[in-house]
Amino acid sequence: MSFRNQINVSKLPDHVAIIMDGNGRWAKEQGKLRVFGHKNGVLAVRDTVEGAAELGIKNLTLYAFSTENWNRPKLEVTALMELLVSTINKETKTLMENNVRLNAIGNLEALPSRCYKELKEAMEKTAGNTRLTLTLALSYSSRWEITQASKKIAADVVAGNIKEEDITEALFSSYLSTHQLPDPELMIRTSGEHRISNYLLWQLAYAELYFTNKLWPDFRREDLFEAIFNYQQRERRFGLTSEQIS
Ligand code: IPE
Ligand code: IPE
Ligand code: MG
């Protein structure tokens, strides 16, 4: 039986976050350049987004480019930025058809101006869509985000907009770039690596982590469904005992 049919649709995670990893290794396996892997990664993005929307997931966040990825060879960085522009351009129509809102988090001003412009346009165009919020983490790192939030809070305290005693976990969350999103209940990483790589450190505090050996270009909606089914078999205790939960 497919995993799709075994999922309890009344208990879906509200927010699934993914680290799309393994494009380079996928290309290398076929004797191709790394960029070939990134291009094929787009097909996996399309299928995963469609699968998430069809299932009824409200929020999907994809790690597309980290702050640290700027230090890759210039040729790869340029190719990734080009791919970003052309993909956003091509996919905006599909996002509209599927009622998907595009959102982005990260240091977006560091992106080449054409990328930033294309991204902003697509976000504005899809702003009214309600079925699924697709967030791209771009030029993103969690430590950068947390540092930015801390600076803004400090500035607001100095300006007298808030008082030190107003600083709670909820207030801190509201200064993060994910302030409109619930915390992810499920985080998936492909390619067999078991690490977080500076992704949503604050937001993943109680997320269920799911790792698969599949390389990102091979990932399809059925793999997403398998991860969600696996997530639904777990007992989330949040520090309580099992007896307290049941
Ligand atoms: C993920 O695949 C895509 C990005 C980080 C942009 P990688 O490019 O990291 O692929 P591997 O991990 O080297 O195989
Ligand atoms: C994490 O993958 C970033 C993205 C998927 C965009 P990396 O391939 O950059 O992470 P490390 O270097 O293996 O930790
Ligand atoms: Mg990688």
Side-chain angles (χ1 to χ4, degrees):
M1 205 188 352
S2 83
F3 288 104
R4 170 72 182 83
N5 300 326
Q6 296 178 73
I7 291 174
N8 179 349
V9 284
S10 66
K11 286 193 175 140
L12 291 176
D14 277 334
H15 185 180
V16 177
I18 304 182
I19 301 179
M20 310 185 287
D21 197 18
N23 294 353
R25 279 163 283 167
W26 187 89
K28 199 172 175 194
E29 274 179 4
Q30 343 223 343
K32 298 273 175 49
L33 295 174
R34 294 178 58 82
V35 176
F36 183 68
H38 297 314
K39 285 192 176 141
N40 281 274
V42 176
L43 305 176
V45 171
R46 189 181 298 144
D47 202 66
T48 304
V49 173
E50 275 177 19
E54 174 219 297
L55 189 65
I57 300 288
K58 299 306 289 179
N59 300 286
L60 179 69
T61 299
L62 303 177
Y63 205 1
F65 193 84
S66 74
T67 305
E68 289 75 20
N69 290 150
W70 287 115
N71 298 321
R72 289 192 177 189
K74 193 167 178 287
L75 201 70
E76 182 170 348
V77 173
T78 309
L80 274 165
M81 293 301 145
E82 282 301 319
L83 189 62
L84 186 68
V85 175
S86 62
T87 305
I88 293 171
N89 220 317
K90 264 195 258 152
E91 301 292 327
T92 308
K93 195 165 157 272
T94 321
L95 295 177
M96 290 307 291
E97 281 162 9
N98 288 301
N99 194 10
V100 175
R101 180 170 81 94
L102 185 69
N103 178 34
I105 56 172
N107 186 9
L108 304 180
E109 276 142 44
L111 296 172
S113 57
R114 213 155 66 85
C115 271
Y116 184 58
K117 190 170 154 277
E118 205 68 55
L119 185 66
K120 267 193 91 173
E121 277 174 19
M123 290 198 292
E124 280 161 17
K125 204 163 175 203
T126 61
N129 293 347
T130 54
R131 191 180 184 196
L132 167 75
T133 296
L134 170 65
T135 301
L136 299 180
L138 276 173
S139 186
Y140 173 89
S141 88
S142 200
R143 287 185 172 182
W144 170 83
E145 180 187 37
I146 291 170
T147 307
Q148 290 298 111
S150 308
K151 283 185 185 172
K152 282 188 235 156
I153 291 171
D156 274 345
V157 172
V158 171
N161 298 330
I162 55 170
K163 294 195 278 303
E164 187 197 323
E165 52 270 33
D166 295 333
I167 304 171
T168 58
E169 289 186 11
L171 180 115
F172 197 90
S173 295
S174 75
Y175 278 76
L176 296 172
S177 56
T178 50
H179 59 92
Q180 295 171 328
L181 303 169
D183 286 342
E185 295 95 331
L186 173 62
M187 197 288 288
I188 300 168
R189 183 172 188 149
T190 60
S191 88
E193 306 295 355
H194 295 182
R195 55 176 171 263
I196 307 285
S197 301
N198 217 346
Y199 190 42
L200 302 172
L201 301 179
W202 172 279
Q203 299 87 338
L204 292 177
Y206 259 109
E208 295 297 326
L209 307 181
Y210 179 89
F211 300 100
T212 167
N213 287 331
K214 272 228 173 141
L215 303 174
W216 178 252
D218 288 329
F219 196 87
R220 290 296 177 272
R221 70 185 74 191
E222 189 58 16
D223 300 298
L224 172 71
F225 299 155
E226 181 172 2
I228 292 172
F229 176 71
N230 179 291
Y231 158 84
Q232 290 188 330
Q233 309 314 304
R234 302 184 188 186
E235 183 182 61
R236 305 185 73 206
R237 289 194 285 279
F238 301 97
L240 303 181
T241 67
S242 190
E243 290 70 23
Q244 282 176 299
I245 305 289
S246 57

